Amino acid sequence: MGEKQLAKIKLLTILAPVAYVVVAESVRNIYLEERLTPAQVKLTVLVSTMVAAMIFSELVFGLIQRLQGLLDRERRRIEAIFHHTSDAVVLLDDHDRVVAMNPAGYRLTGWEPEAVGSGALHVAQLFEELAGRPDPPWWTLARQGQKVPYFEATVRSADGRAVSVTGSATGIPAPEGGTQVALIMRDISEKKALEAEVARRHRQAEGLYDIGLELASLGDLEENLKEVLRKVREILGARWASWAFIEEDTGALFWKYRDGAASEGEDGAPAGMAEDLAVQAVAEQRPVIATPNGQTVVAVPLIQRGRTFGALVVGGAGAPVAQSDVLFLSSVATQAAVSLENRELYARGQSQAILEERDRVAKEMHDGFGQTLTYLTAMVATMEQLLLRGKVEEALSRLTEAREMLRQAHQEVRMAIFNLRQRPSGDDFVAQVRGLLEQFGRQASLRTELVSEVKGTVSLPFEKSIQVMRVIQEALANVRKHAAATKVVVSIAHRDGALEVAVADDGCGFIPDAAAQSGQHFGLHIMKERSQEVGGQLDIESAPGQGTTVRLRVPLGRWVQRPAPAEAGG
């Protein structure tokens, strides 16, 4: 708008006098000199010139006043923006001294107007981080006419605060000549803090996932807990971290698995203050925080199902603890408590399984070895009576029978020891059955065959693997003891999400219902128990003179199958 007004004034000052002279001379030559005297002509020209000058000046000054009004309004608008904008504006002179700031600039830098007005404040005092850098700072580039659309820096305020800012720099003409530089900056400290908080939450989430995997594994407990402490200390930037567990007998806390440089105390243990915090956290069942001597210590209890196992205690290096840090430590403590409880339950389950397995072995020994030894005891007593009566030949006959029974018992003992030593290893299940069948064939002097419809290698869950193997072992033991067979075939298949195993022999066979009612063949009962423990179904097909087939079907929740390795030269 101002440029248009200036153009009008310029055009008016050029054209108006020319037009007046042309018009005046034309009127004078055509009209005035023919009707008026020379004196009257001069007077008329003088009066008309004065009137034209007055009109011309009014027009020019009117335009100038309008232009001045526009400039005043624009100046007031710029001043309003300068004073009321939320962005800090700092003006620099040719010597990089701060000559002006808006109120937002004073708030951002913390400097007083007196320091700015006196010229005592240099821009280098605001940006100490740039001191000694070989490349020119952005205000120098802006003064040289280069565009600086964006920069990030740290402003050192008058009270020593470090304020993260982003902004731009531009060169503007100075009122007294030369070039000023305007720095327009915005405080991004909250943005930086938010970004740092997001990054910290991200690290904590990733760390919590890794810690969960660490605690969920059934590896060495001590190493797992030490690794958790290391990760906690790394994520929070703490100086030390430690577990404090409760002794079941005394209820007292004891320190274990420390990581990092602990605070003062004997043998590197946390100081008494940390122990007091752990006791308080356990007693009140909540996180407890203290900052003695500027060092933050946090204690969170390990609680699961109303039972307290101890506390996780972490010591920092003066950094404040955010609420997210406390929540992170509480989550770690909860996972640790769950892991400790699960390990106890797992140990109890193993102990119970051992007791049940001992009970089965005792029953098998009673059914097999126990009866054999009882019979041998009675036979020895009979031989003794026969010898006392002088019936030597009959005693020798009984001795030969006893020797055969002892040989069979010895074979049964060797087979039982072999079966007990067979432990599922998590490797290929079919290969384990093949090894078992080959060993059985050698010891029992029977022909054996393995028929597998499974392609590749297969790994079963541990519990199912061990129970299925025991059923196969018991079925083979029954073949050796009762079937009088010449051949046994074991087949393995995977159908409809279930494992199917069959042990078939060509022996004498029997009537399954009659055997069950008579209470004989205790091994059949053992096999049914094992199949039921893994949710399986056991069926026995047999008839006198037609052999026996034991079929086991076990549903599989996890069936891990890998391609078979390529044969050499294939």
Side-chain angles (χ1 to χ4, degrees):
M1 186 67 179
E3 293 180 356
K4 292 181 179 180
Q5 295 294 335
L6 287 174
K8 288 181 180 180
I9 295 174
K10 184 177 180 180
L11 182 62
L12 183 61
T13 55
I14 294 174
L15 296 180
V18 174
Y20 173 77
V21 171
V22 172
V23 172
E25 287 297 323
S26 298
V27 172
R28 178 178 179 178
N29 294 331
I30 297 173
Y31 181 78
L32 294 180
E33 289 183 353
E34 293 180 358
R35 293 175 174 79
L36 300 176
T37 64
Q40 290 177 331
V41 171
K42 291 180 179 181
L43 180 60
T44 301
V45 171
L46 178 61
V47 172
S48 62
T49 301
M50 292 179 63
V51 172
M54 292 177 60
I55 295 172
F56 177 74
S57 64
E58 286 294 330
L59 289 174
V60 172
F61 279 103
L63 291 174
I64 292 175
Q65 287 177 350
R66 289 181 61 186
L67 180 59
Q68 183 65 39
L70 291 175
L71 292 176
D72 289 342
R73 286 197 296 272
E74 188 68 18
R75 178 178 55 80
R76 288 194 297 270
R77 188 177 72 86
I78 293 174
E79 288 180 352
I81 294 174
F82 181 78
H83 286 90
H84 298 293
T85 182
S86 59
D87 292 336
V89 181
V90 178
L91 296 180
L92 310 178
D93 63 9
D94 290 337
H95 302 288
D96 292 338
R97 293 175 299 188
V98 179
V99 295
M101 281 189 192
N102 65 343
Y106 289 120
R107 291 193 298 270
L108 178 69
T109 64
W111 289 93
E112 299 294 334
E114 293 76 10
V116 174
S118 63
L121 180 59
H122 194 275
V123 67
Q125 295 175 253
L126 299 178
F127 302 98
E128 294 180 355
E129 63 187 271
L130 301 177
R133 287 179 51 175
D135 52 325
W138 50 80
W139 56 82
T140 301
L141 298 177
R143 181 174 289 106
Q144 294 172 355
Q146 300 185 38
K147 292 183 178 180
V148 185
Y150 176 81
F151 66 82
E152 283 191 9
T154 301
V155 172
R156 182 66 60 182
S157 65
D159 56 2
R161 292 181 299 111
V163 183
S164 298
V165 298
T166 182
S168 61
T170 182
I172 57 175
E176 65 279 0
T179 302
Q180 287 186 335
V181 175
L183 302 179
I184 304 174
M185 300 177 292
R186 177 171 295 178
D187 186 352
I188 58 171
S189 298
E190 292 185 2
K191 175 176 175 291
K192 291 287 187 181
L194 182 59
E195 290 176 349
E197 179 65 18
V198 171
R200 178 166 61 179
R201 295 287 184 93
H202 182 70
R203 289 195 306 272
Q204 290 177 358
E206 287 185 338
L208 198 59
Y209 175 77
D210 294 338
I211 288 171
L213 292 179
E214 190 75 33
L215 292 173
S217 68
L218 293 178
D220 184 76
L221 177 61
E222 180 174 352
E223 293 301 322
N224 288 349
L225 291 177
K226 286 182 178 180
E227 180 64 16
V228 170
L229 290 181
R230 187 191 66 79
K231 290 181 178 179
V232 166
R233 196 167 65 87
E234 178 181 328
I235 292 171
L236 297 184
R239 289 182 56 193
W240 57 268
S242 180
W243 297 107
F245 293 121
I246 297 178
E247 290 183 343
E248 295 186 2
D249 297 336
T250 63
L253 282 175
F254 65 96
W255 296 101
K256 200 168 186 181
Y257 313 134
R258 294 184 295 273
D259 185 82
S263 57
E264 295 179 1
E266 293 183 2
D267 193 24
M273 174 274 305
E275 184 174 355
D276 293 341
L277 288 181
V279 172
Q280 182 180 353
V282 169
E284 300 178 4
Q285 296 194 349
R286 66 176 182 85
V288 180
I289 305 173
T291 54
N293 302 323
Q295 291 191 7
T296 303
V297 180
V298 184
V300 292
L302 278 64
I303 304 174
Q304 173 63 11
R305 301 180 188 274
R307 179 185 174 188
T308 305
F309 292 87
L312 170 60
V313 188
V314 178
V321 176
Q323 183 64 26
S324 61
D325 298 333
V326 178
L327 292 176
F328 168 72
L329 290 175
S330 298
S331 299
V332 173
T334 299
Q335 290 199 22
V338 171
S339 177
L340 291 172
E341 184 186 52
N342 289 341
R343 285 175 179 272
E344 286 188 358
L345 294 175
Y346 180 76
R348 292 176 187 173
Q350 282 190 320
S351 299
Q352 184 64 29
I354 291 173
L355 293 176
E356 292 176 357
E357 190 64 23
R358 286 179 176 177
D359 183 60
R360 291 193 188 98
V361 172
K363 291 178 180 178
E364 291 175 2
M365 291 181 65
H366 178 271
D367 184 57
F369 306 143
Q371 293 185 9
T372 299
L373 293 176
T374 300
Y375 184 76
L376 286 173
T377 301
M379 185 172 292
V380 169
T382 301
M383 287 188 291
E384 182 180 9
Q385 293 296 325
L386 290 173
L387 290 174
L388 291 175
R389 295 174 185 175
K391 299 180 178 181
V392 177
E393 293 183 359
E394 188 175 354
L396 290 175
S397 174
R398 294 294 181 90
L399 181 60
T400 302
E401 183 180 352
R403 184 185 298 111
E404 178 63 23
M405 291 188 66
L406 285 173
R407 186 188 65 79
Q408 293 180 2
H410 180 258
Q411 190 175 12
E412 289 182 9
V413 169
R414 291 181 59 190
M415 183 62 70
I417 293 174
F418 170 75
N419 290 339
L420 290 175
R421 286 179 174 177
Q422 286 288 108
R423 295 174 55 90
S425 60
D427 297 331
D428 184 14
F429 175 75
V430 177
Q432 294 181 57
V433 175
R434 180 179 290 107
L436 172 65
L437 194 58
E438 291 175 354
Q439 179 70 17
F440 171 80
R442 288 192 298 269
Q443 291 189 353
S445 299
L446 291 176
R447 290 184 292 119
T448 61
E449 181 182 355
L450 176 65
V451 179
S452 175
E453 299 179 17
V454 178
K455 296 181 180 180
T457 60
V458 175
S459 297
L460 297 182
F462 177 79
E463 182 61 27
K464 291 186 177 180
S465 178
I466 193 171
Q467 296 297 353
V468 172
M469 288 291 289
R470 293 293 185 255
V471 169
I472 296 174
Q473 289 172 351
E474 184 62 35
L476 293 175
N478 288 338
V479 170
R480 179 181 54 79
K481 290 188 291 185
H482 308 295
T486 61
K487 183 179 180 180
V488 60
V489 179
V490 177
S491 59
I492 302 174
H494 178 221
R495 299 187 183 93
D496 301 326
L499 173 69
E500 295 183 355
V501 178
V503 180
D505 66 72
D506 60 354
C508 60
F510 65 100
I511 302 176
D513 292 338
Q517 293 175 1
S518 65
Q520 298 176 354
H521 296 289
F522 184 72
L524 300 180
H525 179 68
I526 293 294
M527 287 191 291
K528 286 186 179 293
E529 280 188 355
R530 292 188 183 279
S531 63
Q532 291 172 358
E533 286 195 7
V534 292
Q537 179 180 352
L538 185 75
D539 295 315
I540 299 175
E541 303 171 1
S542 183
Q546 298 183 13
T548 302
T549 300
V550 177
R551 300 186 185 277
L552 173 63
R553 179 180 173 84
V554 179
L556 298 174
R558 177 167 61 91
W559 174 268
V560 182
Q561 184 168 341
R562 297 178 295 276
E567 295 182 2

